[in-house]
Amino acid sequence: TMKRLIEATQFSMAHQDVRYYLNGMLFETEGSELRTVATDGHRLALAETPAPEGAAGGPGVIVPRKTVDQVRRLLDDGAGPVAVQVSAQKIRFEFGQASLTSKVIDGAFPDYMRVIPKGNDKQADIDNSVFASAVDRVATISAEKSRSVKLAFDLDRVTLTVRNMEAGQGVEEVEIGYSEEPFEIGFNARYLLDVAGQITGETAHFKFADPASPTLVLDPGDPGVQYVL
């Protein structure tokens, strides 16, 4: 469970952002849920699981990127329960014979619940592996994976387009489940591929409002995760 909470969110942590509180992962108990959240200001990932006994009332803390990476590696080395101790200044993970203690980042994590869209009423049901392969192919027309991919949605299909002034353009059409009005929206190709890499089921649910608003991506195979692009 701990491995899942980290893997589902760590890709969204910022890299050396001047907003130092984004260079880590929020670890908190909210109500009956234990939750990890990460954002770099462009995308957000949230994962949650029923909070274990003893977690209630603990402080929400921002765990530094290096600590998150080390915990992830330690989780690969063995199975069994992970004991976590949290204070306002430090967090400690115990894995059988090993333990890791780290300072936490002193700062206020953004109010992430305000970022998660609540009224996105257009939904596209997309085969995750087919879509990811299509994004990867059209993005190769660019020298950088970060080039924007335009997605044009129409009845039961989406057309992906990447344009490069020097190399021309890449276009691909993918069959999807979509019955709303046609519209277009652009995304960073790298962000699309990062989210696709976290989807555990065959299908991803993309929920849209309009081209200028954040998009919510849900994983039917894991209802405890949410992604915002």
Side-chain angles (χ1 to χ4, degrees):
T1 302
M2 178 66 73
K3 189 175 178 180
R4 166 187 162 272
L5 289 173
I6 291 176
E7 284 185 340
T9 52
Q10 69 179 146
F11 72 93
S12 283
M13 291 186 294
H15 291 262
Q16 299 179 331
D17 198 296
V18 293
R19 297 164 294 179
Y20 58 90
Y21 48 84
L22 299 183
N23 299 316
M25 176 182 293
L26 178 66
F27 187 93
E28 70 172 2
T29 302
E30 181 71 23
S32 61
E33 301 294 325
L34 176 64
R35 186 177 293 163
T36 55
V37 188
T39 180
D40 60 5
H42 303 287
R43 68 261 182 90
L44 178 145
L46 177 152
E48 60 187 12
T49 192
E53 185 177 350
V61 295
I62 306 172
V63 184
R65 162 182 284 281
K66 286 186 177 180
T67 303
V68 172
D69 291 342
Q70 290 296 331
V71 171
R72 175 65 186 79
R73 291 192 183 97
L74 286 166
L75 288 168
D76 275 339
D77 292 340
V82 181
V84 185
Q85 296 173 306
V86 186
S87 72
Q89 292 80 35
K90 293 183 180 181
I91 188 166
R92 179 180 176 88
F93 299 87
E94 295 182 353
F95 317 79
Q97 300 301 312
S99 65
L100 175 64
T101 304
S102 169
K103 288 184 177 180
V104 299
I105 294 175
D106 182 18
F109 200 78
D111 183 2
Y112 60 88
M113 293 305 292
R114 289 180 54 207
V115 177
I116 299 175
K118 301 296 190 295
N120 288 17
D121 55 356
K122 301 182 184 72
Q123 178 168 315
D125 301 329
I126 300 175
D127 184 303
N128 185 59
S129 62
V130 172
F131 179 70
S133 296
V135 171
D136 193 45
R137 282 192 294 271
V138 297
T140 58
I141 200 72
S142 166
E144 302 176 9
K145 288 287 187 183
S146 60
R147 181 171 291 276
S148 174
V149 176
K150 184 180 76 173
L151 306 182
F153 289 87
D154 208 332
L155 181 62
D156 288 338
R157 71 176 186 270
V158 60
T159 303
L160 297 77
T161 306
V162 173
R163 288 187 171 87
N164 184 332
M165 295 297 290
E166 297 175 357
Q169 70 176 17
V171 181
E172 186 149 349
E173 188 174 289
V174 175
E175 292 184 3
I176 60 172
Y178 182 76
S179 58
E180 307 290 340
E181 63 188 53
F183 83 109
E184 296 181 353
I185 190 168
F187 291 110
N188 180 310
R190 181 76 263 160
Y191 296 168
L192 288 173
L193 292 172
D194 284 345
V195 169
Q198 303 305 318
I199 300 296
T200 58
E202 293 182 359
T203 305
H205 290 170
F206 281 68
K207 299 177 76 70
F208 309 97
D210 58 67
S213 299
T215 292
L216 180 65
V217 184
L218 302 177
D219 181 359
D222 187 352
V225 300
Q226 300 180 68
Y227 304 106
V228 180
L229 295 174

